[in-house]
Amino acid sequence: MILESFKENNGEAEVCSFCGEDKASGMWMGSEKTIFCCKNCAIQYLPQLMADAIVGGTLESEIKDTEKRPVEITQEHTILKRFHSAFSTALIVKVRNCH
Ligand SMILES: [Zn+2]
């Protein structure tokens, strides 16, 4: 799925799917639902969700095997690189849309 820049719907801001309180500033189009996220939850909670999803999808036996670490556990650099790329792209899109 593709993360798209967030637009308000008919002037009414969507509420964050995580905290249910703050106005969403980003959205993700899932296969069945659209997920909305506020800035605070993106900073405070989404990194934990990512870690839980990666580690949760990895077998305990794979984690304990020091000679054959699963790809998911050894890919922190790739994850960080992807985040920096996505962050830069979001900044560029934001600056371009300011004019
Ligand atoms: Zn939130």
Side-chain angles (χ1 to χ4, degrees), residues 2-90:
I2 298 171
L3 182 65
E4 296 184 349
S5 56
F6 181 77
K7 295 181 181 175
E8 292 185 4
N9 184 14
N10 296 327
E12 298 227 3
E14 296 288 348
V15 175
C16 176
S17 303
F18 295 92
C19 66
E21 295 177 2
D22 294 335
K23 174 183 159 186
S25 54
M27 63 178 253
W28 185 270
M29 295 174 66
S31 62
E32 295 179 18
K33 283 184 167 185
T34 300
I35 298 169
F36 297 94
C37 188
C38 72
K39 184 172 156 181
N40 184 57
C41 286
I43 295 168
Q44 296 297 326
Y45 305 118
L46 288 190
Q48 186 63 59
L49 174 60
M50 291 171 57
D52 289 347
I54 293 167
V55 174
T58 304
L59 296 174
E60 190 176 328
S61 59
E62 293 176 325
I63 295 171
K64 288 180 178 175
D65 185 348
T66 55
E67 291 185 16
K68 276 179 50 180
R69 291 277 187 211
V71 171
E72 298 92 333
I73 303 300
T74 60
Q75 292 298 306
E76 183 178 356
H77 178 71
T78 302
I79 294 165
L80 292 174
K81 191 174 170 183
R82 274 286 301 136
F83 176 76
H84 288 293
S85 174
F87 199 90
S88 296
T89 300

